[in-house]
């Protein structure tokens, strides 16, 4: 065996015995091995090589048509007591998991290979990083994990004889929808995923480990695992201030993390640096500030809507060594396309299902709405110099946000940490294609963690409140709420969004530094119209007014919605009820 780690040896022997692969292959992290796997993937049709002149190192993959997004209804927390999973998670007892789900793994790798992927979340060898080992029968998963995480022998060296690791058991099995399960065992730090081969269901380092399992570890150890992007705003004088922001899936994290400043800002010397686009591990530093690090090594980004206009840095990130999944393949030049890339869809193409597709005459979308690119972080032109800093970056602000057509204004600031936690706990957003199910319905999604919190969400709120109990609360990041998605009567977005969002970040960061004013409202502090820099932007005064409006009637409804949501919890911290009562009183 390649490892001296007894626990790993035993577990791998168990996996092989259970799933009966023909062969066990260790992923060593070398380019030579990955290249061989790409070639093998091509021979089976799993991977398609794209135009190597235009897209060097890039490949295409179709997932199974029934397997295109996370399956929240089939995602379970398997702790001993149901109340520890809480009212917002599916729960299965470990015993039931053994009788109901374990049999699905029996012999599932017969005729296949079992790939063993040792990986590190966070820079290899950093004391703040964590190690996982995923076994899988999917070459696509191996190649994707090699982009999204740090994989290979160097991880085994750090693991050593006695190191701890999260066990990830994955098999695409039959890709059967009825028998698809994504299980998490927070106590034994195990993940079982069967009958899916896509995204957060199958790349176990991502949501399963870095959020669901890590959130439970963080609670024990006094830190936080959050569904947040991390970015730095560099000012003309060279100072960089950092922001972490939680938006639900497909609500703009990747876009904000890589934003290109508007022309006027660029001329003045503003820059934005991306530290992470999806996940943040946040720990208190010795100086009393909170530090955020990105445990991932790549971007698993939403393709549709990504263009040189909306997100040129994401586009640049995908020009080499990238895997594209479920987008359109242009047969004329063997490149890719998706809705929103440009106004020039290919005519001679195949859609995400592999059917002939002509973009000029098509009546159906060519790219699946949750089609994605898997791109190395180092490709990103605005990747932060702190990307590999294991300590992370000190946060000035934390931001929550969602898709709200009406209720939420463009931005508001919470009154203090506890109120900020309340604002996060009360977050709501319209559902998107990132998860299977209905799209566009408003649901409560606290801290954008509804699908990702590995334990009772009431305890999670308490943990957030506890993180604010520090000797000097003035050193904590201030907490804000944003909404890029407010609509006018015709259903059009009022705020231009994307790069222009820097105008809102500038106000947020100025607030954190005590450099600018605000107006108190019942829901929090809002910029006065003159506080936002709108130079170079043609926004009607009426539109600005609508963006900054707090409609008290709608907010009274919101209070009812939050109250109904809170009623689900039997472990809701008293403080949050007090916050809700206080909001109600302020609204009159
Ligand atoms: P996950 O990877 O699922 O966690 O998604 P994400 O939060 O990173 O979302 P992403 O940045 O990929 O954006 C998802 C969709 O929202 C894309 O279609 C974007 O074009 C759109 N979007 C992002 N930012 C904005 C914005 O500021 N305004 C508007 N109107 N749309 C935006
Ligand atoms: C999300 O849904 O929030 C994602 C994509 O980032 S997935 O990896 O599928 O979870
Ligand atoms: Mn995400």
């Amino acid at each position: 065996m390649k490892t001296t780690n007894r626990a790993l040896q035993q577990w791998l022997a168990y996996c092989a015995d259970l799933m009966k692969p023909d062969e066990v292959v260790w992923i060593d992290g070398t380019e030579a091995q990955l290249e061989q796997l790409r070639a093998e993937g091509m021979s089976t049709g799993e991977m398609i090589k794209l135009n190597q002149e235009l897209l060097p190192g890039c490949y295409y993959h179709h997932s199974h048509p029934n397997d295109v997004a996370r399956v929240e209804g089939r995602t379970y927390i398997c702790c001993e007591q149901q109340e520890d999973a809480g009212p917002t998670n599916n729960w299965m007892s470990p015993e039931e998991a053994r009788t109901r789900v374990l049999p699905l793994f029996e012999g599932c790798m017969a005729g296949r290979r079992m790939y063993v992927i040792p990986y590190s979340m966070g820079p290899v060898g950093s004391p703040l990083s964590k190690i996982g080992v995923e076994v899988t029968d999917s070459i696509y998963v191996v190649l994707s994990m090699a982009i999204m995480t740090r994989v290979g022998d160097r991880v085994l060296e750090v693991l050593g004889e006695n190191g701890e690791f999260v066990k990830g058991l994955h098999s695409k099995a039959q890709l059967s929808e009825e028998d698809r399960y994504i299980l998490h065992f927070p106590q034994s730090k195990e993940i079982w995923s069967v009958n899916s081969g896509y995204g957060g269901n199958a790349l176990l380092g991502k949501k399963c480990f870095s959020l669901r399992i890590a959130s439970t570890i963080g609670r024990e150890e006094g830190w936080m695992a959050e569904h947040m992007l991390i970015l730095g705003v560099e000012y003309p004088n060279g100072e960089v201030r950092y922001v972490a922001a939680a938006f639900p899936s497909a609500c703009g994290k990747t876009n904000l993390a890589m934003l290109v400043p508007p022309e006027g800002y660029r001329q003045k010397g503003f820059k934005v640096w991306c530290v992470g686009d999806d996940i943040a591990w946040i720990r208190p530093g010795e100086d009393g500030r909170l530090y955020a690090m990105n445990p991932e090594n790549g971007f698993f980004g939403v393709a549709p809507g990504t263009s040189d206009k909306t997100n040129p840095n994401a586009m640049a990130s995908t020009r080499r060594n990238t895997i594209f999944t479920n987008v359109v393949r242009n047969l004329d030049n063997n490149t890719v396309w998706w809705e929103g890339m440009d106004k020039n869809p290919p005519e001679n193409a195949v859609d995400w299902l592999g059917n002939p597709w002509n973009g000029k005459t098509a009546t159906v979308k060519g790219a699946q709405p949750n089609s994605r690119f898997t791109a190395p972080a180092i490709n990103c032109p605005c990747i932060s110099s702190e990307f590999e800093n294991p300590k992370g970056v000190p946060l000035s602000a934390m931001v929550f946000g969602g898709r709200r057509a009406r209720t939420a204004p463009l931005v508001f600031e919470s009154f203090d940490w506890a109120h900020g936690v309340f604002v996060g706990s009360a977050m709501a957003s319209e559902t998107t294609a990132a998860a299977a199910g209905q799209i566009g319905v408003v649901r409560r999604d606290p801290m954008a963690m509804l699908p990702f919190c590995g334990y009772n969400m009431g305890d999670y709120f308490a943990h957030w409140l506890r993180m604010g109990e520090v000797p000097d609360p003035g050193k904590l990041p201030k907490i804000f709420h944003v909404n890029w998605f407010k609509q006018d009567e015709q259903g059009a977005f009022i705020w231009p969004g994307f790069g222009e969002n820097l105008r809102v970040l500038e106000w947020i960061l100025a607030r954190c530094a005590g450099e600018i004013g605000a107006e108190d409202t019942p829901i929090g502090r809002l910029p006065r119209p003159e506080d936002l820099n709108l130079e170079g932007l043609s926004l009607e005064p009426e539109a600005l007014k609508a963006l900054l409006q707090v409609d008290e009637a709608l907010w009274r409804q919101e209070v009812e919605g939050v109250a109904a949501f809170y009623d689900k919890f039997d472990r809701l911290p008293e403080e949050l009820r007090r916050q809700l009562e206080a909001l109600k009183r302020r609204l009159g």
Side-chain angles (χ1 to χ4, degrees):
M1 275 248 210
K2 217 172 164 168
T3 175
T4 53
N5 188 293
R6 284 289 297 280
L8 179 52
Q9 287 173 353
Q10 281 168 8
W11 178 65
L12 289 177
Y14 165 82
C15 291
D17 187 53
L18 172 69
M19 299 188 287
K20 308 267 187 295
D22 287 3
E23 201 188 331
V24 176
V25 177
W26 286 84
I27 299 306
D28 59 19
T30 60
E31 184 48 33
Q33 188 189 38
L34 293 172
E35 192 55 27
Q36 197 189 329
L37 289 173
R38 288 179 201 117
E40 267 177 53
M42 272 162 40
S43 72
T44 62
E46 210 173 330
M47 308 301 295
I48 297 172
K49 199 181 225 169
L50 292 166
N51 184 323
Q52 294 299 295
E53 258 151 54
L54 298 173
L55 296 167
C58 292
Y59 287 77
Y60 183 96
H61 173 81
H62 292 283
S63 71
H64 192 282
N66 78 21
D67 186 29
V68 295
R70 284 182 294 100
V71 281
E72 296 180 1
R74 303 230 139 222
T75 300
Y76 290 80
I77 303 298
C78 304
C79 44
E80 291 293 339
Q81 304 297 325
Q82 178 161 17
E83 60 253 44
D84 291 330
T88 59
N89 278 315
N90 299 313
W91 174 77
M92 195 187 287
S93 73
E95 195 191 329
E96 189 184 348
R98 277 190 292 275
T99 54
R100 192 163 134 201
V101 179
L102 197 58
L104 301 172
F105 287 98
E106 278 168 16
C108 67
M109 290 190 188
R112 300 180 189 176
R113 285 184 179 154
M114 180 172 100
Y115 299 102
V116 181
I117 317 169
Y119 65 94
S120 174
M121 298 314 300
V124 178
S126 152
L128 301 180
S129 298
K130 303 255 174 221
I131 290 175
V133 179
E134 174 165 357
V135 299
T136 179
D137 50 8
S138 160
I139 287 180
Y140 171 69
V141 166
V142 172
L143 297 174
S144 300
M145 284 291 285
I147 296 172
M148 295 304 297
T149 72
R150 288 108 170 152
V151 305
D153 288 352
R154 59 199 180 121
V155 178
L156 288 180
E157 272 162 44
V158 173
L159 181 66
E161 246 171 84
N162 302 309
E164 283 184 22
F165 61 97
V166 170
K167 298 168 181 156
L169 187 58
H170 172 253
S171 173
K172 51 189 179 175
Q174 276 56 254
L175 293 176
S176 136
E177 231 178 332
E178 305 81 68
D179 285 330
R180 188 166 295 155
Y181 289 98
I182 322 295
L183 306 189
H184 305 73
F185 302 79
Q187 275 128 356
S188 57
K189 302 194 172 48
E190 264 179 88
I191 303 153
W192 298 357
S193 165
V194 66
N195 281 309
S196 169
Y198 187 56
N201 297 332
L203 310 181
L204 301 186
K206 199 171 177 55
K207 298 303 167 52
C208 300
F209 180 167
S210 293
L211 289 178
R212 298 195 191 95
I213 299 285
S215 63
T216 65
I217 300 174
R219 179 176 170 233
E220 287 159 21
E221 297 181 354
W223 53 278
M224 310 199 279
E226 298 297 329
H227 191 200
M228 289 181 168
L229 68 95
I230 312 163
L231 65 80
V233 177
E234 181 176 331
Y235 287 72
N237 68 2
E239 185 196 356
V240 186
R241 300 181 189 172
Y242 292 95
V243 179
F247 310 153
S249 303
C251 290
K253 289 182 301 300
T254 301
N255 277 272
L256 190 67
M258 300 179 188
L259 82 73
V260 174
E263 182 60 28
Y265 280 83
R266 279 205 303 271
Q267 276 168 7
K268 278 188 231 158
F270 277 88
K271 292 181 184 133
V272 170
W273 300 107
C274 172
V275 182
D277 82 323
D278 198 51
I279 297 177
W281 286 358
I282 301 172
R283 297 176 167 91
E286 276 161 20
D287 59 0
R289 300 187 69 182
L290 290 184
Y291 284 74
M293 67 94 106
N294 172 14
E296 300 192 280
N297 202 30
F299 309 119
F300 185 58
V302 177
T306 306
S307 72
D308 283 325
K309 277 215 182 89
T310 58
N311 193 346
N313 286 315
M315 292 299 285
S317 304
T318 63
R319 298 245 154 78
R320 58 179 60 241
N321 304 334
T322 293
I323 302 172
F324 299 90
T325 307
N326 295 343
V327 300
V328 174
R329 198 155 57 85
N330 181 341
L331 297 178
D332 283 335
N333 60 5
N334 195 21
T335 60
V336 291
W337 190 85
W338 49 74
E339 278 72 21
M341 179 193 272
D342 55 39
K343 296 206 165 75
N344 193 22
E347 290 174 55
N348 177 26
V350 289
D351 67 8
W352 72 276
L353 291 160
N355 297 322
W357 190 80
N358 180 337
K360 293 282 177 331
T361 57
T363 52
V364 293
K365 286 190 172 158
Q368 209 283 331
N370 190 41
S371 55
R372 294 194 177 238
F373 53 80
T374 313
I378 48 159
N379 282 2
C380 183
C382 65
I383 196 74
S384 164
S385 59
E386 303 305 299
F387 169 66
E388 298 267 2
N389 182 344
K391 244 180 65 183
V393 293
L395 294 178
S396 297
M398 281 178 163
V399 180
F400 296 122
R403 288 178 186 261
R404 293 305 294 272
R406 298 183 63 206
T407 310
L410 180 63
V411 57
F412 64 93
E413 178 190 338
S414 61
F415 297 117
D416 54 27
W417 182 269
H419 179 236
V421 174
F422 165 74
V423 168
S425 78
M427 253 172 80
S429 192
E430 293 152 22
T431 51
T432 66
Q438 223 184 330
I439 293 174
V441 294
V442 174
R443 71 167 182 185
R444 297 282 144 201
D445 187 351
M447 283 85 172
M449 282 288 278
L450 182 74
F452 307 122
C453 179
Y455 59 100
N456 187 311
M457 201 138 217
D459 295 337
Y460 170 78
F461 296 149
H463 182 50
W464 261 88
L465 289 166
R466 221 166 22 241
M467 293 296 296
E469 288 162 11
V470 293
D472 185 357
K475 291 195 169 158
L476 293 170
K478 282 187 186 291
I479 300 177
F480 297 78
H481 187 282
V482 300
N483 178 21
W484 313 141
F485 299 93
K486 207 165 182 196
Q487 294 175 14
D488 63 17
E489 304 295 319
Q490 283 74 45
F493 296 126
I494 308 176
W495 178 247
F498 302 100
E500 309 298 340
N501 293 334
L502 182 57
R503 300 173 188 278
V504 176
L505 291 181
E506 189 189 19
W507 179 77
I508 285 175
L509 289 166
R511 285 296 300 164
C512 295
E515 296 163 348
I516 202 166
E519 187 183 324
D520 278 18
T521 80
I523 66 166
R525 301 194 166 116
L526 266 77
R528 297 159 300 188
E530 66 272 23
D531 292 328
L532 286 175
N533 173 12
L534 299 176
E535 224 178 279
L537 187 68
S538 57
L539 192 72
E540 299 294 324
E542 281 309 301
L544 183 61
K545 210 174 139 204
L547 288 167
L548 298 179
Q549 190 202 13
V550 178
D551 182 329
E552 298 197 359
L554 281 179
W555 276 93
R556 277 190 286 271
Q557 283 176 31
E558 187 71 3
V559 165
E560 298 306 314
V562 176
F565 179 62
Y566 277 1
D567 281 344
K568 287 193 186 180
F569 292 88
D570 45 15
R571 292 193 194 167
L572 190 82
E574 260 318 298
E575 174 62 27
L576 293 187
R577 273 202 206 285
R578 275 197 294 276
Q579 290 284 345
L580 182 61
E581 283 310 310
L583 172 60
K584 205 168 167 175
R585 247 180 290 117
R586 290 194 301 267
L587 286 165

